[in-house]
Every structure is written in structure tokens, then in C-alpha cells.
Amino acid sequence: MWQFPSFLRPSGAAQFDVANAHTVELTRRHPIVSLTKQGAAAGNLRINLSWSMRTSDTGAFGKRGGTWLGRQLSLFKPEPVQAAGPAMVNVDLDLACMYELADGTKGVVQPLGNFLGDLDAPPWIQMSGDDRFGGSSGETLYINFDKRDEFKRLLVFVYIYDGTPAFDRTHAKVEIFPTSGPRIEIPLSEREPQARSCAVVLIENKKGELLVRREVKYVYGFQAELDRLYGWGLQWGRGYKANNAVR
């Protein structure tokens, strides 16, 4: 009787996530990872937000079926189309971070209002800029963990700029790239058609250990509602983007 070659047959822990060995996905069942334990609590942590249109917004017909036939037919559907410009889709997701430092200083780093931060001075966090159309590079946030003792907690969140579709019309994900160990992925896949903001991850300094915890909590308002949810205590007002109206 023919048997699967032993050198190709996974065994033990290796049978899981073989093709995805360099990525850890935070889920409801497994929501926490320690940057300290994987030796990544130093250097510049990179956090990236990227998104694309759902096929339902590009003219694809039907929905993925739950039956065998439905799954086979879905193979012939086009992949989600990257939102490369304003003529294709009007989506503007923004990546941002509320911070609380060890000395009690609180604030936010975000494109709105041009609060882009500073990597070499407090708050030790900096945005790369503002991607309006969901290109492949997305938006990137850098955190200087050489100053890890300066941080108490960081809330990484995503919000939708005024006048754009809701989360249920995009495939969005946040990826965290530590200086060592696997990258961390948090898909924003829940269907929340009315939500305007989403708390994605909370990074906390717990007695010298840096922990990343999946949140993925959607709210129907903007930053002020996330602030109330997590008890940040900041004062919020209207924000601006260049060549755009007030939010």
C-alpha cells in the first residue's frame, strides 16, 4: 500500500501553519503575543495598514457558496481589486495610535491634523504619511522600542475619514513587523457596516514585558468614542486634512 513519503509528512507541532511559519495571526482564541519573549522589544517596530476593495464593489456577481459546488464556482471569481486611485473607489482608512507614556503624557499620532509624531523624541512614535487610496504600501507607523521603558500603553486604531464607505466594503488588515520573530497579522474582517472606527491592538508594558493584545472593537463614532472606551481622557475637536473639508 502506498504511503506518504516520511520526509514530506509533517509531524507534531510542525503539521500546523507550515506554509505560514513567519506569520502569527491574532484571533479571539489566541489574542496575545509577547514581543519581549520573542526578542523583539527593541529597535523600530513597524505597523502597516493596507486594504483593498471587496469583490462586491467591483462588479463581481454572487456570493461565495457554502456548498462544494459554490466553492468550486468561487475559484473563477476575480480577486479583490486594489484601490489604486480615486477613480476606482473612494476609500480613506487612516492608521493612528493613542499613546500614554510612563510619565503620564498622553496624546495621539495620526494623519488627521498632521499629528505625525517623532521617532527620536517623545512620543517616540511616527507616521510615514497619509495614504488616501489603499495602495499596496498602505500606511505605516513606527515605534521606537529602544525607548520601551518610556511607554505605558499604546492603542493602535483605524478610522474611516468622513464621506467614505464603511468597513464592510473593504478587505483591511493591520500587520506588525517586529525586529525579530514572526510578523503579526490582525485582519479587520468583521462585517460592521455602520462602524467608523476600530480599536485594533493594545500594546502594554506590563512590568517590563511588552505585550500585544488583539482588540478589534468597532465603534460608530471616531477617536473620542475610542477614547471613552479605553479611558484615555484626551480632549478632541474637529480635524483637517489638506485639500479636504473639516470632519
Side-chain angles (χ1 to χ4, degrees):
M1 181 177 178
W2 184 87
Q3 292 185 347
F4 198 76
S6 60
F7 65 90
L8 293 177
R9 187 189 309 122
S11 62
Q15 64 184 307
F16 301 105
D17 298 328
V18 173
N20 203 29
H22 299 294
T23 301
V24 170
E25 182 177 322
L26 296 187
T27 64
R28 291 180 181 178
R29 292 185 62 186
H30 302 286
I32 299 175
V33 65
S34 171
L35 296 177
T36 302
K37 289 181 179 179
Q38 69 181 40
N44 292 335
L45 183 81
R46 179 164 60 94
I47 302 178
N48 182 257
L49 164 69
S50 59
W51 70 92
S52 61
M53 292 176 59
R54 290 189 184 276
T55 52
S56 60
D57 294 327
T58 63
F61 294 94
K63 296 182 179 180
R64 183 178 295 272
T67 64
W68 180 88
L69 178 60
R71 288 193 296 271
Q72 302 311 305
L73 291 174
S74 71
L75 296 175
F76 298 95
K77 291 183 179 181
E79 291 297 317
V81 178
Q82 285 289 340
M88 185 172 292
V89 66
N90 180 29
V91 173
D92 188 5
L93 301 184
D94 280 347
L95 180 67
C97 179
M98 273 187 258
Y99 60 84
E100 182 177 0
L101 303 183
D103 65 2
T105 302
K106 298 178 182 180
V108 65
V109 174
Q110 63 179 21
L112 192 64
N114 204 35
F115 295 113
L116 300 182
D118 194 322
L119 200 60
D120 300 313
W124 318 108
I125 307 166
Q126 189 167 6
M127 287 290 307
S128 65
D130 180 16
D131 177 9
R132 300 291 180 88
F133 309 118
S136 58
S137 61
E139 292 190 0
T140 303
L141 184 75
Y142 296 91
I143 302 173
N144 183 357
F145 276 147
D146 287 337
K147 301 292 184 179
R148 57 189 174 277
D149 292 337
E150 303 291 331
F151 295 112
K152 180 178 180 181
R153 59 176 180 157
L154 307 170
L155 179 66
V156 178
F157 64 97
V158 174
Y159 61 92
I160 299 178
Y161 194 67
D162 200 23
T164 60
F167 282 100
D168 67 330
R169 292 188 60 194
T170 62
H171 284 290
K173 66 179 177 180
V174 171
E175 294 175 286
I176 300 175
F177 297 86
T179 53
S180 64
R183 70 178 178 179
I184 303 164
E185 184 173 303
I186 308 97
L188 305 183
S189 54
E190 285 83 349
R191 291 299 184 100
E192 294 288 345
Q194 302 301 318
R196 305 295 301 183
S197 305
C198 178
V200 182
V201 294
L202 189 66
I203 303 175
E204 295 182 284
N205 190 337
K206 294 283 192 179
K207 297 181 180 179
E209 183 178 9
L210 287 175
L211 300 174
V212 178
R213 187 178 75 204
R214 177 189 184 272
E215 297 292 314
V216 190
K217 294 180 179 178
Y218 293 87
V219 300
Y220 298 104
F222 292 97
Q223 292 90 328
E225 190 169 342
L226 287 173
D227 185 313
R228 288 191 293 271
L229 183 63
Y230 287 89
W232 231 267
L234 298 176
Q235 297 295 318
W236 298 93
R238 289 177 177 265
Y240 297 82
K241 279 193 176 185
N243 301 319
N244 272 279
V246 180
R247 269 192 53 215

